[in-house]
Amino acid sequence: MVCDDPSNDGFAQFNLESQTPGILGAQIPTDFIVTYYASFTDADTSTGALVSPYTNTGNPQPIYVRIERVGDPLCNNVSLTPAFNLIINPSDDASFTMTPTCDGATATVTGTPGGTFTFNPVPTDAAVIDSVTGTVTGGTSGVSYTVEYTTTGICPLSSTQTFNVLITDDASFTMTPTCDGATATITGTPGGTFAFNPVPTDAAVINAATGTITGGTSAATYTVEYTTSGVCPASSVQNVTVLTSDDPSFTMTPTCDGATATVTGTLGGTF
């Protein structure tokens, strides 16, 4: 019995002489000539002895044996029934696919089920693999991993698949303070949404699409969260402090022909 190659065509090469020790048993091998045949008739007439390596013509294929004493062809014994059968077991099918996810991948066995999955080679990051399902988790965005699937049947096989983890969105952005809030600039993946986190208790509002804050309180600090909307979304936060409004307070001191001004707030303005 042998395992077929991955083609599973039902044909393989056999070393027939590997059966000789079992056939002769305790007898002295040098005293006998053992030959192999495809039929009893061939073995009985010593016609068409099979030569190793021999490729079978059927599966299973019966093999007949002829034993002759060296130097005395008339002293022989032929198996009336097949001495053994050439049997080829089909090889397992180790084919599978890997579907990338945002932190790894999922596996789909398209061949023989019930095998085991491993990394080959084993990564040095935090990625892990489920040996039963082949699911990879904890992988690094954009990194390539190679997975090996090995079947567990009578004729096991192994195969590998390489995949790249899906790239996670870039949620980076900046906030530029204004006199009543701030404006946002997306430096990563566009198309996401903005929100306060936490929501302020004053009159400040934020535009979800642009991130612009209006109605904010002078010198107040707000926390803005930006969340992307791609296949592998991400979020990040930025704090922004509204610019401090000028203080236009001043006093006027009357004089005999008018008055003089004293600025008690922000200097440098105009009257």
Side-chain angles (χ1 to χ4, degrees):
M1 181 184 71
V2 299
C3 289
D4 207 343
D5 59 30
S7 70
N8 276 332
D9 59 3
F11 298 99
Q13 291 187 331
F14 291 85
N15 177 14
L16 300 176
E17 284 71 30
S18 66
Q19 299 295 319
T20 299
I23 291 171
L24 290 178
Q27 300 178 91
I28 300 173
T30 55
D31 290 345
F32 300 93
I33 299 173
V34 180
T35 48
Y36 298 89
Y37 300 86
S39 69
F40 169 75
T41 301
D42 288 348
D44 191 40
T45 59
S46 189
T47 302
L50 305 179
V51 179
S52 297
Y54 172 70
T55 301
N56 64 301
T57 58
N59 185 28
Q61 180 181 348
I63 298 297
Y64 295 81
V65 177
R66 180 185 178 91
I67 305 173
E68 292 182 4
R69 182 173 290 278
V70 174
D72 187 2
L74 296 178
C75 180
N76 63 74
N77 189 18
V78 177
S79 58
L80 295 176
T81 58
F84 57 88
N85 288 307
L86 301 181
I87 299 174
I88 300 177
N89 286 323
S91 292
D92 290 345
D93 180 359
S95 59
F96 70 105
T97 59
M98 297 297 295
T99 303
T101 62
C102 296
D103 71 337
T106 58
T108 302
V109 177
T110 55
T112 306
T116 57
F117 293 90
T118 57
F119 283 125
N120 186 9
V122 177
T124 56
D125 59 8
V128 294
I129 187 169
D130 186 308
S131 63
V132 175
T133 66
T135 299
V136 177
T137 54
T140 304
S141 173
V143 169
S144 177
Y145 301 91
T146 299
V147 173
E148 182 175 52
Y149 176 64
T150 302
T151 63
T152 55
I154 297 175
C155 297
L157 283 180
S158 295
S159 68
T160 59
Q161 291 287 338
T162 299
F163 69 92
N164 291 326
V165 176
L166 297 179
I167 296 177
T168 301
D169 289 346
D170 179 0
S172 59
F173 70 105
T174 60
M175 297 296 295
T176 302
T178 63
C179 294
D180 70 339
T183 57
T185 301
I186 298 170
T187 56
T189 305
T193 56
F194 293 89
F196 285 125
N197 186 8
V199 176
T201 56
D202 60 7
V205 294
I206 187 169
N207 186 299
T210 66
T212 298
I213 298 173
T214 54
T217 303
S218 174
T221 298
Y222 302 96
T223 299
V224 175
E225 182 175 45
Y226 175 64
T227 302
T228 64
S229 56
V231 176
C232 298
S235 297
S236 67
V237 296
Q238 292 286 339
N239 291 325
V240 63
T241 300
V242 177
L243 297 177
T244 302
S245 297
D246 289 347
D247 178 2
S249 59
F250 69 102
T251 60
M252 295 297 295
T253 303
T255 62
C256 294
D257 63 347
T260 57
T262 303
V263 176
T264 55
T266 305
L267 300 175
T270 57
F271 293 92

